[in-house]
Amino acid sequence: MSNEGAPRLHAKLQPAAGDHSKDGYRKRPGEILERFERGGHADKVDLLTGKITPDGHAVSEGQRTKQAELNRAWLNDERQRLQASKGEPVAYTQNSMNEPHAVDALERYLKTQGRFGSASEADLKAKAAAAQEYAAKLAAQYYESTGGSAQAAETAATDASRLPLAASRQRSSYLPVSKADMDARGWDQCDFVLVTGDAYVDHPSFANAVIGRVLEWAGFKVGILSQPDYTNPEAFKALGMPRLAFLVSAGNLDSNLNAYTAHKLPRSDDPYSPGGKPGKRPVRATIVYCNMIRRAFGKAPIIVGGIEASQRRFSHYDYWDDKVRRSVLLDSNADMLVFGMGETQIVELAHRLNRGEQLREITDVRGTAYVKKDAAILETPEFVERFGKPVYTLDHEALLPPKEAAGGRQQAAADSDEAKIQNPKSTIAADRVQEHQTDFGDQIPPYRRNYSVAFKTIFDQQDPVRGRPLVQRTGKLSVIQLPPARLQSEEELDRWYDLPYTRLPHPDYEAQGGVPAWLTTQHSIITHRGCMGSCTFCAIWMHQGRTIQSRSADSIVKEAESISGMPSFKGYISDVGGPTANMYGNYCSVQQTLGACKDRDCLLPDPCPALRQHIDKQLDMLKRVRAVPGVKRAFIASGIRHDMLIDDKNTRGLGDAYIENLAAHHTSGHLKVAPEHLSDDVLAKMRKPGLNKYEEFKKRFIEASRKVGKEQYLVAYFVSSHPGCTMEEQIRLAEYFKKNNWSPEQVQDFIPTPMTPATAMFYSGHDPETGEFVYTPTTMREKRRQRALMQFKRPEFHGRVRKALREAGRKDLIGHHKDALVKPGNEEDWDDDNPARPAGIGSGPATTRKRNNPYRGRKPRARKRKRP
């Protein structure tokens, strides 16, 4: 499939991206240039039309017809090769390794772990086929030994033998959660015990269910230890010692975020716990669970994962502690951390552990992080050739206040390190960011500025194609992160979502009131992963990546059919989408071959010409979902990126067709859209499009709704107290609401979650991308005032709004005239009416004390009054 003289792909857009001609892939030290080795995969549409070769080279127009024929032949060969070894296994016992066919399959798998350490599609399916065959044999023996029929034995472990998944409520349909469940399966020991902070819901929206089912598919015995008593080490012995490793996750949410609001108030419920009752999981659950396992089992192998561990793999600012904490790997004493979605990593780790390798000796699996005293292996030629030359970010100690700082007061910087910025003007107590408001850049000490420098270094390497190993030293230890896991193909995603989930909570929770989070997701479908947006407050960049990975329409329709058979289904699929619903099927060949662009955005200021929106593909998929028998409506509730749909050039004229389809079939009367703010300066820090694009989309959506004979509205989401938002900008937003007669209910206070660009701005006071100072509301007083201004119509916020307006010099907005935000009255602030707060969380009193205001009902005097 030679392609001499092929034009350079997107040469005008990416002048420094590299040469796609025949001899363009010249290996340089520390760089891997073969596209599949770097984690990319080819777009089927481009292959079938002959635009590219299977290895990613661009094809000139005159040769595309011939190339398309060659590509079709290649695709057909690949399908036949994969189909020959296709299987759908269930868990098999440890004794299965004594079977010759299982050993042969495992050896074939391990032989593929050569230079790039990731199994190929064919070998994974070969291993799966071997496991399936052996599982069928075990099932047949079980039926015969218990007096079952010969017909049942013959159909064991096949689709024909399964009850409809949605209707299955027997304990045997779930992964074991107790010793009794293990005994019922004839297990003496689990291969893996998955410890989770969530209730066990066997649904593809719950990460722990996915990982458990994936390992079961790979042929391993998995037990679920859900929400164990974190005060008692004995509770962690419920399933015994696993043969290979413990897998630990805090759950679908960061445990701090699950426990506290943006104002650090305890949440009244936990939707991921039975009955919605809080207190079932500890704060910083990953650390607590790992330490309890160490107390119960000593040096048992532990792998941590999930959103909490993933976002805390390096030194990070912790909003709830108001300080920089070291990597969760060090605090948890875990052996390895899996970041990202985790399926490919955990399958490879499982097979290598099963082979006999020690977990601490496995140092070459993409998408993992670990701790070493000696990082010299990273500089060896073999390692550099395979993963690239390592990148060193600032040490953990460089992000902390100087040890000699007395009473938290910043001393004159004496370190000559180039990364540290001299700041003799800073004299404030700056080690607690939330205890004071920083108004100028010269008030920020060097170690906080270092945080933005370190974050930028880490952030730039989070791409599966161009990313390189990262190293951060903490004392005498080094936290090492390998490049993210390779991109997953359509077939792989289909495989994970087609596994035999019951789609229901475990039966044990029925008497406890069920699991609230399941109620909102039970009839939802995830269509894709990743987001091309670049919102600085969002963690998807670091967890799922910027490259879209979509499921096939066949797999999505198959899931819709499964949902239609659920007893609770009334004809309405609650959501068909992903992180951003209208990014399904989107593709960028630059991302696939060279990685996401480091210094430019996919969507800002306008969608990149290299971005291909396959709107027609999504419209066809949605039409097929609607056509599933029993489905009355299929809503899109996960939100959309509105600016993509009004770019007529990039949508190839299909934007209005998508909006009309949305209005006609997939909106329940209100559609969620997130303009986030009014100010261009604030939106620039958020990396969101301007409000004018929201207004244009709003106009088109309302017109489309009228065209289909419906009266529908947009539910606009806004964020308060985001980095870059001054009090003046917030007052402008409140004036805009007043002018347009808006009363937004969907207001979200910015929460600095670990490992996001906005959190780096919050703590460091600087934009990690530009290095410029960013004003950020950090004190609870400022955050509450900004939220009150967004919801100035609510009576309980009037006192706080008056005080904010007066101190900002905008008393003209207090009065009885039409432009006034509030009427005259008494002033209040958060010190006067602060609800109960957990001791030690944030500033302010630990308990509530009702305070009488002696000036309530009186006209405020001009003179300074005493505090009540």
Side-chain angles (χ1 to χ4, degrees), residues 778-794:
T778 56
T779 63
M780 203 61 68
R781 180 192 298 259
E782 183 87 349
K783 289 172 69 69
R784 285 187 162 225
R785 285 182 178 181
Q786 292 211 8
R787 181 186 179 93
L789 281 165
M790 274 193 173
Q791 297 179 303
F792 61 88
K793 289 188 177 182
R794 295 176 60 171

Side-chain angles (χ1 to χ4, degrees), residues 103 118 147 219 254 258 275 310 329 412 424 430 474 540 582 614 680 756 763 769 794 850 868:
V103 176
S118 295
D254 185 292
N258 184 277
S310 182
L329 271 167
T474 303
I540 288 179
N582 59 308
H614 290 305
D680 288 338
T756 65
Y763 178 71
E769 196 68 36
R794 295 176 60 171
K850 186 75 175 178

Side-chain angles (χ1 to χ4, degrees), residues 208-507:
N208 296 303
V210 175
I211 295 299
R213 290 295 185 182
V214 166
L215 283 170
E216 182 187 46
W217 168 87
F220 294 94
K221 298 181 293 183
V222 185
I224 302 287
L225 187 56
S226 176
Q227 298 183 322
D229 180 1
Y230 55 88
T231 64
N232 182 11
E234 293 299 315
F236 291 79
K237 298 180 180 179
L239 297 179
M241 175 75 171
R243 182 173 67 91
L244 298 177
F246 279 100
L247 309 178
V248 177
S249 168
N252 270 21
L253 282 179
D254 185 292
S255 56
N256 281 284
L257 194 62
N258 184 277
Y260 297 111
T261 68
H263 296 160
K264 297 186 176 180
L265 304 176
R267 296 189 188 273
S268 58
D269 64 343
D270 180 354
Y272 291 93
S273 292
K277 295 180 180 179
K280 292 285 188 178
R281 85 186 77 211
V283 174
R284 297 188 182 83
T286 302
I287 297 173
V288 175
Y289 288 161
C290 288
N291 281 282
M292 280 294 174
I293 291 171
R294 290 284 180 233
R295 289 177 61 181
F297 295 100
K299 295 184 178 181
I302 300 177
I303 303 172
V304 296
I307 189 70
E308 178 171 284
S310 182
Q311 297 303 106
R312 296 171 181 267
R313 55 189 182 268
F314 288 107
S315 297
H316 55 279
Y317 172 70
D318 188 287
Y319 174 66
W320 296 271
D321 265 3
D322 195 15
K323 68 177 184 180
V324 173
R325 295 179 64 97
R326 62 183 187 169
S327 168
V328 71
L329 271 167
L330 298 169
D331 286 338
S332 67
N333 198 22
D335 298 292
M336 181 171 287
L337 184 152
V338 170
F339 64 91
M341 299 304 284
E343 294 97 342
T344 56
Q345 302 99 299
I346 203 64
V347 168
E348 181 173 349
L349 287 170
H351 284 300
R352 293 178 66 172
L353 288 171
N354 193 55
R355 182 190 186 186
E357 292 186 57
Q358 297 299 309
L359 187 57
R360 289 188 176 272
E361 296 174 358
I362 300 176
T363 59
D364 59 350
V365 177
R366 295 172 64 101
T368 64
Y370 48 87
V371 177
K372 292 291 182 184
K373 288 184 178 179
D374 184 5
I377 185 178
L378 306 182
E379 302 289 352
T380 60
E382 295 82 5
F383 194 94
V384 170
E385 172 67 14
R386 181 171 171 181
F387 295 111
K389 192 170 179 62
V391 176
Y392 291 80
T393 188
L394 293 178
D395 296 354
H396 173 72
E397 288 73 18
L399 314 180
L400 304 178
K403 291 183 179 179
E404 66 272 15
R409 188 169 295 275
Q410 173 68 29
Q411 303 296 315
D415 197 330
S416 59
D417 191 332
E418 292 181 0
K420 293 192 176 183
I421 300 163
Q422 299 297 328
N423 185 19
K425 296 182 181 180
S426 178
T427 58
I428 58 176
D431 56 330
R432 295 288 179 177
V433 177
Q434 298 170 38
E435 292 181 2
H436 59 270
Q437 186 63 49
T438 304
D439 297 318
F440 304 101
D442 60 1
Q443 296 175 333
I444 298 174
Y447 63 88
R448 279 177 55 192
R449 178 68 179 274
N450 288 348
Y451 187 87
S452 89
V453 175
F455 176 83
K456 170 66 173 168
T457 304
I458 295 169
F459 189 77
D460 284 345
Q461 302 305 322
Q462 304 305 316
D463 185 90
V465 180
R466 59 170 169 76
R468 293 192 285 164
L470 273 164
V471 183
Q472 184 178 56
R473 293 190 178 95
T474 303
K476 296 181 179 180
L477 300 174
S478 293
V479 177
I480 300 167
Q481 178 210 285
L482 295 187
R486 62 178 176 81
L487 299 172
Q488 298 197 51
S489 66
E490 184 180 87
E491 289 79 7
E492 287 176 303
L493 279 184
D494 288 352
R495 178 198 301 146
W496 308 144
Y497 287 97
D498 289 347
L499 294 174
Y501 305 98
T502 64
R503 303 189 68 87
L504 298 167
H506 195 275

Side-chain angles (χ1 to χ4, degrees), residues 182-225:
M182 293 171 58
D183 293 341
R185 293 191 176 205
W187 294 2
D188 294 326
Q189 187 180 29
C190 291
D191 293 330
F192 293 94
V193 172
L194 203 164
V195 184
T196 172
D198 287 344
Y200 174 31
V201 180
D202 192 32
H203 189 284
S205 293
F206 291 76
N208 296 303
V210 175
I211 295 299
R213 290 295 185 182
V214 166
L215 283 170
E216 182 187 46
W217 168 87
F220 294 94
K221 298 181 293 183
V222 185
I224 302 287
L225 187 56

Side-chain angles (χ1 to χ4, degrees), residues 661-673:
N661 183 73
L662 197 63
H665 303 293
H666 303 289
T667 304
S668 60
H670 296 84
L671 178 68
K672 297 177 183 178
V673 183

